[in-house]
């Protein structure tokens, strides 16, 4: 983000924007940048809160009035947290007795499908699922087939799209009920409770063990989900 | 996560490992008109694109156009990183691409107008210099669209 600001400004186009990692903006020195203390993935702070988002935007646009730079300003407001007691409960019980990945992942998918549909309805049809050309059932079945055969996916671009859709499907199902969610709790549920989280951990280990594919492993599992056991540290 | 200092050590170390020197001599374009007369474009590095567009690759410095009239709810992301929260984006695309907020600013007369095309990159896995060529392309497109200023959002 900082680099784009620099290159555009060098081409005589004014820029202003948001930085989520203050240290990076301080070192790269984009022309105008507003550092916010929000989690990665939430540069405007709070979803579905136009007033909060407008306050952030206004602060960043104000930087266009500065007469010299580079300027790195700190936004003073933190995003409000969601008390766990007020967050809707996880709608599904995970883990089954199936002995194969095909059995476990498909059983899990079947339990999540109604919640995904409820979530999509609540969001007026909006969904992030759709990067892959395959259906979610084919995606899950394909991942399971590779795991049961203990083989790496043959088509890495298709695998990348498949796991992006799978993660989006799970997040949307886990947050289907109305209410405000603590995103950290959703993260912990996905990566430490679901069979999909366990499956992606296996893929990660397989990619990581192959010197030619170890870089690809980084997109499979979050950095702080590398520990085998659930952490109470703050995830992204 | 509130401050970088609050992050787990390995996450903090990773983000700080991106600490790089300035890209070159300071670049600064002075303001030529008030905000209320400016034409603004949005650029996100969240890997967003319209549903039918080709997704971003594993590492990818290319960009995708997002028409100003595009339905914000129809945008999806193919960002490679597994390290950012997607639950907020699933709820509200404005969290990373505040197009509805800027339409409201345009309607209120707080900005002059919105660009006809906005742009999306995927900020992951590459050094900043990798984006120089594609950023130059976008700069040319923005000038043809008479854009005065760009509002940048990371993910």
């Amino acid at each position: 983000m900082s680099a784009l600001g620099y290159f555009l400004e060098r081409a005589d186009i004014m820029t202003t924007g948001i930085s989520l990692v203050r240290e990076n903006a301080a070192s790269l020195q984009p022309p105008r940048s507003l550092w916010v203390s929000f989690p990665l993935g939430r540069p405007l702070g709070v979803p579905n809160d136009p007033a909060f988002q407008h306050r952030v935007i206004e602060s960043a646009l104000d930087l266009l009035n500065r007469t010299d730079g580079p300027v790195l300003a700190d936004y003073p407001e933190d995003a409000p947290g969601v008390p766990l007691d007020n967050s809707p409960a996880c709608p599904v019980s995970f883990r089954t007795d199936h002995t194969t990945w095909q059995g476990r992942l498909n059983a899990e998918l079947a339990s999540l499908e109604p919640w995904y549909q409820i979530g999509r309805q609540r969001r007026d049809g909006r969904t992030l699922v759709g990067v892959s050309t395959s259906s979610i059932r084919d995606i899950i079945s394909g991942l399971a087939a590779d795991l049961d055969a203990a083989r790496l996916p043959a088509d890495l671009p298709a695998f990348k799209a498949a796991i992006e859709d799978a993660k989006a499907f799970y997040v949307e199902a886990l947050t289907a009920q109305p209410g405000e969610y603590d995103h950290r709790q959703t993260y912990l549920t996905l990566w430490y409770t679901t069979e999909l989280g366990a499956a992606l951990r296996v893929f990660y280990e397989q990619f990581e063990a192959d010197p030619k594919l170890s870089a690809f492993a980084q997109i499979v599992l979050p950095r702080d989900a590398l520990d085998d056991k659930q952490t109470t540290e703050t995830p992204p | 996560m509130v401050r970088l200092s609050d992050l787990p050590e390995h996450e903090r170390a990773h983000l700080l490992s991106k600490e790089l020197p300035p890209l070159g001599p300071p670049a600064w374009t002075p303001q030529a008109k008030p905000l209320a007369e400016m034409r603004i474009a949005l650029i996100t590095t969240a890997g967003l694109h319209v549903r039918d567009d080709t997704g971003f690759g594993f590492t990818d410095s290319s960009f995708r156009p997002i028409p100003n009239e595009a339905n914000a709810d129809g945008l999806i992301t193919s960002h490679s990183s597994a390290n950012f929260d997607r639950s907020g984006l699933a709820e509200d695309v404005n969290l990373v691409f505040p197009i509805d907020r800027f339409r409201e600013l345009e309607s209120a007369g707080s900005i002059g107008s919105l660009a006809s095309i906005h742009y999306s990159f995927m900020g992951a896995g590459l050094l900043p210099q990798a984006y120089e060529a594609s950023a130059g392309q976008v700069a040319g497109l923005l000038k043809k669209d008479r854009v005065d200023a760009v509002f940048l959002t990371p993910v």
Side-chain angles (χ1 to χ4, degrees):
Chain A
M1 203 287 291
S2 296
L4 290 177
Y6 177 81
F7 292 131
L8 292 174
E9 198 93 14
R10 205 176 59 181
D12 300 325
I13 295 172
M14 290 186 83
T15 62
T16 187
I18 293 171
S19 168
L20 287 161
V21 181
R22 196 182 195 287
E23 288 83 350
N24 291 162
S27 61
L28 279 171
Q29 298 182 11
R32 302 169 198 81
S33 190
L34 178 72
W35 173 72
V36 296
S37 63
F38 315 144
L40 301 182
R42 298 184 167 221
L44 270 292
V46 185
N48 298 321
D49 189 338
F52 192 101
Q53 295 173 2
H54 269 302
R55 290 198 295 277
V56 179
I57 291 168
E58 184 182 359
S59 293
L61 288 177
D62 274 348
L63 302 182
L64 292 172
N65 297 317
R66 300 289 185 98
T67 53
D68 55 14
V71 55
L72 172 58
D74 293 346
Y75 187 69
E77 191 177 4
D78 288 333
V82 178
L84 281 181
D85 291 347
N86 296 349
S87 185
C90 177
V92 178
S93 295
F94 297 105
R95 303 291 182 189
T96 69
D97 295 331
H98 292 280
T99 56
T100 63
W101 283 107
Q102 201 68 253
R104 290 194 298 274
L105 283 171
N106 279 305
E108 187 168 88
L109 177 63
S111 70
L112 286 169
E113 277 178 325
W115 290 104
Y116 168 78
Q117 294 301 342
I118 289 169
R120 188 168 181 177
Q121 198 170 13
R122 178 174 69 75
R123 298 178 180 100
D124 296 325
R126 171 171 165 71
T127 179
L128 293 177
V129 177
V131 176
S132 168
T133 54
S134 299
S135 71
I136 189 65
R137 290 188 181 188
D138 286 345
I139 285 170
I140 293 299
S141 188
L143 295 176
D146 284 335
L147 289 167
D148 282 331
R151 68 182 177 227
L152 280 171
D155 183 343
L156 292 184
F159 175 78
K160 173 184 178 291
I163 63 171
E164 281 157 7
D165 272 354
K167 286 183 287 189
F169 181 95
Y170 270 60
V171 165
E172 291 178 27
L174 293 172
T175 55
Q177 300 170 77
E180 288 187 89
Y181 286 82
D182 180 285
H183 73 276
R184 295 165 300 178
Q185 195 59 41
T186 305
Y187 170 95
L188 291 173
T189 302
L190 172 61
W191 292 107
Y192 290 98
T193 308
T194 67
E195 292 290 345
L196 178 69
L200 293 178
R201 192 176 301 272
V202 174
F203 278 120
Y204 172 88
E205 290 165 356
Q206 291 177 343
F207 284 122
E208 181 68 15
D210 185 332
K212 291 180 181 172
L213 296 173
S214 60
F216 194 81
Q218 308 309 315
I219 73 167
V220 177
L221 203 65
R223 282 183 293 277
D224 58 356
L226 299 180
D227 297 333
D228 285 338
K229 58 181 181 229
Q230 180 171 320
T231 176
T232 55
E233 284 186 295
T234 308
Chain B
M1 195 271 280
V2 177
R3 301 286 195 279
L4 194 60
S5 58
D6 299 326
L7 287 171
E9 175 56 33
H10 54 275
E11 183 69 15
R12 183 166 58 243
H14 171 81
L15 292 171
L16 286 176
S17 73
K18 295 180 178 179
E19 201 165 313
L20 297 164
L23 291 159
W28 185 263
T29 303
Q31 187 176 21
K33 59 177 77 166
L35 181 61
E37 296 175 14
M38 283 188 185
R39 187 167 174 82
I40 307 284
L42 306 186
I43 296 183
T44 175
T45 53
L48 288 184
H49 50 84
V50 296
R51 188 167 292 274
D52 293 336
D53 255 358
T54 304
F56 287 94
F58 167 45
T59 55
D60 194 336
S61 63
S62 66
F63 58 88
R64 303 288 180 275
I66 300 177
N68 186 46
E69 64 274 14
N71 176 8
D73 284 345
L75 300 174
I76 58 175
T77 177
S78 54
H79 200 294
S80 288
S81 176
N83 294 293
F84 66 88
D85 167 61
R86 294 180 189 232
S87 66
L89 173 54
E91 290 294 327
D92 179 10
V93 73
N94 289 284
L95 199 57
V96 301
F97 183 70
I99 184 64
D100 291 330
R101 301 294 82 79
F102 272 84
R103 285 171 180 152
E104 289 157 6
L105 292 175
E106 183 183 31
S107 295
S110 302
I111 61 171
S113 61
L114 281 170
S116 58
I117 309 282
H118 308 284
Y119 297 92
S120 175
F121 289 78
M122 183 186 76
L126 293 171
L127 289 171
Q129 289 80 359
Y131 295 90
E132 184 169 5
S134 49
Q137 273 184 278
V138 167
L141 292 165
L142 292 170
K143 285 180 178 177
K144 285 187 177 174
D145 200 3
R146 298 174 288 106
V147 166
D148 299 300
V150 168
F151 188 88
L152 295 152
T153 45
V155 75

